Amino acid sequence: MALITLRRNLYHLSDFRMHGALAALKNHPVNHVRKMVKGRLCPWFPSLQPEPCRVRFHHACCKKFHSENGDALHPLGEPVFSQAHDWAGPEQNPESLDEQMFYRRLNDLDSSADVLHFIGTLQPLPDSLAAGALQRICEVEKKDGNHKLPKGILENGVFQDLCVRFEQESPSLSDTALVTALQALSLLYVGPQSNLLLNLVAESRHRVKRGGLEVRSLCILGESLIRLQGPGDETLELIIYQLQGEKLETFAPEDIVALYRILQACAEKVDRHQAFLNKINSFSLSVVSTLSPTLMSQMLTALVALDQTQALPLVIKLGKYAVRHIPHFTHEELRKVLEAFIYFGHNDRFFTTALERHVASLCLTLDPEVISTVTEYCGRKQILSRPIFDAVAETFVGQSEKFSPRQVSELIEPFGKLNYLPPNASALFRKLENLLLTRFDYFPPKTLLKILHSCSLIECHPVNFMAKIFSPYFLQQLQGEESSVDRLSLAQLTQLFLTSVLECPFYKGRKLLPKYQVRSFLTPCCSLETPVDFQLYKSVRIGLIDLLGARMYFASKVLTPYCYTIDVEIKLDEEGLVLPFTIDEDVHKRSPIMRLRC
C-alpha cells in the first residue's frame, strides 16, 4: 500500500479523523486519491503544488490537530463554525472548511492591496466569499480614514473584475452576498449613478418586495439603504413593516440593536412606530445581559435619539450591566453611555464606583471629550466624587491645551456647582487663568461667563477678568442678535458684581451698570438658586408652628438686599421676643433660620 502524508499546513483542520481516510483508500486506488486531493486544494490555493505524500498509519485513528478559531472574519448571515470539526473522508463537501480558512486569512490582511493580491491568486470565488472580500477592502479603507476608495484600488484589475461580476450577476447572487456587497459599498462614498450600485440597490428592492429575506439580511439592507439613500427611502418603510411581522424572539441581540439604529435614523417618524418600539423596549430587557459594550452603547444612543423616556426599566437594566463593561468601552462609547444617563436622569452608585476606578487609573490617557462628559455627568447628578474630580484636575493641569472652550466649561462648572476644591486647586486655577488670558477671544461670551461664575462659587474670584466682562463691548457680544441679554447671564453677571463688592473690596475697576443687574437670583425659568426641598420645608414649617404657636411669627421666601432668597426668617425685638413677620417697627434683629436646599 502506498504511503501518503496529508500535511497539517495544507488542511489546518481542527479535528482530522483517519478512519475516514482509511475507508477512502480501501475503496479508491492511490492515483485516484492523489487526483482528488489535488482537485480540492488547488482551486483555493493554486500556489500549492501537489507532491507525492505519505500517510503513516500508526493506529486506526490519527492524532487530532487543533486550531484556534480566533476572531476570524465570517460572512454576514452565515453560521460561525465551532472550534472543532470532524472530517470523515472525501465524501464530505469541504466548502465550509475552505470558507473558514478563507475568512481567517482575509481577517489577517491589513491593507486593500494585500486583500486584492490574495483573492487574485484564487480561482473565481463563490459569491458569498467575493462579497466578503469586497467588504474587507471597504472596511480597511474606512479604518484608514478614507471617505472613498483610492484611485489605485479603483484601477486595480482584480477589483474591477469583482465589481463587474457583482454588476452583471446581481440577480443570481445569494441574499447574503447581495446585502454584504451593498453594505460594503455603503461604508465609503460611491457615486450614486454607479451602475454597480444602481444594480445592487434595484435587486435589493426587488427582493424586499418579493419577500422572504431573513431578519439579518433585512437589518443589514435597511442600514445600508439609510447610508446610501437617506432615511426617506421608500423601501425602508417596507423593511420596517416586514420586521414588525417577525417574532422578536427570533432576533439575535445584534439584530435588535440594528433595528434600534434603523428606527433612530427615522426619528422624525417615531410616533408612527411607537407601538413597535414599545414591544422592542420590553423584549430588549431579556437580551441586555448578552450585549457587548458596543451594542450597549448603540442601544442607549438610539433610546436617546428616539426620546424613549418611558423605557426607564430598560435604561436602569442597561445601567446595571454597563458597570462590568466600563473598562471595555471605547472613549466614544463611554461618552455616549454617559450622555444617555444624563438625558434619562439615571445614576447608580455601582456605576459611579466603577467609573471612579476607571477614570482615576486612565484619566491621563482619556480623550478630553470623555473627561468633560464625565464631569458634566457628576455635575448634573450632583455626584461629588473626589477620585474623579482629583484625577480630572490633574489631567487639566497637564493637558489644558487639548481642551476646547466648551470642554473647559463643562469641566470647570461642576467644581463650582458642587463647591469642591481639589488638592491641586492653586495649580488648576493658575492654569485656567493662563489659558483664559492667552485665548480670551476664542471663548464664546456665554461660555466664558459660565467659567468665571463657577470660579467665584468656590471663592476663586476672577478679579483680573471683571473689568472685561463688565465692559459695554463684552455685554454687546453677550447679547448677540437678541433684543436683550438673557436672564441667566444677567444673574451670573450680578453675582460676579456682588462678589467684587463684598469679597474683593480692593477691586477698583469697572462696575456693572444697574440696568444689567437683577433683583433676585430665584426665578421660575432659570435660577442660580437651587429650588427649595418642599418636604424639608414642610417639616420645618410644622415644627415652627408648634414651637412658636402660630404661622404669623415667621416669614417665607424673603428677598435680601443682595438678591438671595431666605426660606424662613424670624423677627426679634431688643429683648429677644419673637415678633409677627408683618411688623416692621421695633425690629432689632432679623434672623434667617436656614436656606432649605437639597
Side-chain angles (χ1 to χ4, degrees), residues 45-97:
F45 299 93
S47 61
L48 299 175
Q49 298 299 324
E51 55 187 72
C53 303
R54 295 178 298 176
V55 172
R56 297 182 177 89
F57 298 107
H58 298 291
H59 40 69
C61 187
C62 187
K63 293 181 180 180
K64 296 180 180 179
F65 296 108
H66 299 280
S67 62
E68 296 290 338
N69 194 27
D71 297 325
L73 178 68
H74 293 279
L76 292 168
E78 291 295 319
V80 178
F81 298 101
S82 63
Q83 291 187 347
H85 280 282
D86 290 338
W87 190 75
E91 67 273 13
Q92 181 173 340
N93 184 1
E95 182 177 351
S96 61
L97 297 176

Side-chain angles (χ1 to χ4, degrees), residues 238-251:
L238 184 56
I239 290 175
I240 295 175
Y241 176 77
Q242 291 185 10
L243 288 171
Q244 289 180 18
E246 300 286 344
K247 292 183 178 180
L248 291 177
E249 291 76 9
T250 64
F251 284 52

Side-chain angles (χ1 to χ4, degrees), residues 256-274:
I256 291 291
V257 178
L259 186 51
Y260 271 116
R261 293 194 300 263
I262 291 172
L263 294 172
Q264 176 186 349
C266 309
E268 68 279 358
K269 302 176 184 178
V270 64
D271 293 337
R272 187 187 307 176
H273 305 301
Q274 188 57 58

Side-chain angles (χ1 to χ4, degrees), residues 41 98 118 130 165 179 265 310 363 549 592:
L41 289 179
D98 293 330
F118 171 60
R165 176 181 174 184
V179 299
Q310 74 279 7
C363 200

Side-chain angles (χ1 to χ4, degrees), residues 496-513:
L496 284 167
F497 170 68
L498 291 175
T499 297
S500 69
V501 173
L502 300 175
E503 304 288 343
C504 309
F506 56 86
Y507 172 71
K508 305 300 181 183
R510 186 181 280 111
K511 307 294 184 183
L512 182 66
L513 296 176

Side-chain angles (χ1 to χ4, degrees), residues 167-216:
E167 179 183 339
Q168 295 178 351
E169 300 179 7
S170 57
S172 62
L173 295 175
S174 66
D175 292 341
T176 298
L178 179 65
V179 299
T180 302
L182 195 61
Q183 182 189 41
L185 295 176
S186 71
L187 296 176
L188 298 172
Y189 174 77
V190 179
Q193 300 306 315
S194 163
N195 289 334
L196 170 61
L197 193 59
L198 291 175
N199 285 6
L200 292 177
V201 170
E203 180 61 26
S204 299
R205 287 175 174 166
H206 171 70
R207 297 193 191 187
V208 171
K209 292 177 182 178
R210 186 180 63 190
L213 289 177
E214 295 180 351
V215 168
R216 175 65 56 84

